[in-house]
Amino acid sequence: CRQRGPTGDSRDPGLDRGTRRRSPPEALTREEAIKCVLPTDVRLPDREPPPIHLVEALVADDMKLIRQLLIRMLKKKGVSKIDEVDSGRKAVSHFFRYRPHIDFLDIDMPGMDGLAALKQIKEWSPGTFVCMISANSTLLNVKEAKELGVDAFLVKPINALNLHRILSIYKKRTA
């Protein structure tokens, strides 16, 4: 997906030919961001969710401190393999490559947000467990996430009790 620079030249997006400085890329809409990452017409085969000690998890949040906290808490709960990314685009790419069993997606991330990533992941693999993370879960965000098939919500600040509740929801799927 190429973005056009200020001169309309698509060969070198963002390069201002007059000053030889790069201009910031234009923001993409959610739909454009999804189309730019990977094909949308893919359907991955369903698979059984493993027990918690065999789970592979993905934590996607643009705040490093939140990622570190959630990773530490997940390890204490017995999750064996946890990867982290800092954007929705990287979350979608990582999901397509590695297919983690549980995905924690922050709603508000630069570029592709968590709701766009949720939409893409659920289109590819409806059975994947996805938990949205947010400090400000507005009614509109919650409604949109539910329409897209979210499995759970984790409200910041994250605490052990709420994480335990999320993992209990996941464990019900393995029973």
Side-chain angles (χ1 to χ4, degrees), residues 98-172:
Y98 302 106
R99 290 206 51 213
H101 304 102
I102 300 178
D103 298 282
F104 292 90
L105 305 173
D106 184 23
I107 290 179
D108 299 314
M109 290 186 282
M112 178 188 273
D113 66 8
L115 292 171
L118 167 67
K119 179 179 181 184
Q120 184 63 69
I121 289 168
K122 286 296 190 172
E123 283 179 6
W124 284 335
S125 181
T128 298
F129 190 89
V130 180
C131 176
M132 301 306 294
I133 309 168
S134 184
N136 51 350
S137 297
T138 65
L139 193 55
L140 184 62
N141 283 342
V142 170
K143 182 180 178 187
E144 185 174 357
K146 283 185 177 183
E147 288 172 0
L148 294 172
V150 73
D151 297 287
F153 282 92
L154 188 57
V155 178
K156 295 177 187 174
I158 299 168
N159 63 47
L161 183 62
N162 286 338
L163 181 60
H164 178 75
R165 182 182 55 82
I166 300 301
L167 295 178
S168 294
I169 294 170
Y170 172 79
K171 287 177 186 178
K172 287 179 185 176

Side-chain angles (χ1 to χ4, degrees), residues 70-122:
L70 187 51
I71 289 168
R72 189 172 62 243
M73 293 171 78
L74 285 167
K75 285 181 179 177
K76 284 183 180 177
K77 294 289 185 182
V79 177
S80 59
K81 184 175 182 331
I82 308 162
D83 293 322
E84 63 180 280
V85 296
D86 62 1
S87 71
R89 177 173 282 196
K90 290 177 185 175
V92 169
S93 180
H94 185 280
F95 177 82
F96 192 76
R97 235 180 252 133
Y98 302 106
R99 290 206 51 213
H101 304 102
I102 300 178
D103 298 282
F104 292 90
L105 305 173
D106 184 23
I107 290 179
D108 299 314
M109 290 186 282
M112 178 188 273
D113 66 8
L115 292 171
L118 167 67
K119 179 179 181 184
Q120 184 63 69
I121 289 168
K122 286 296 190 172

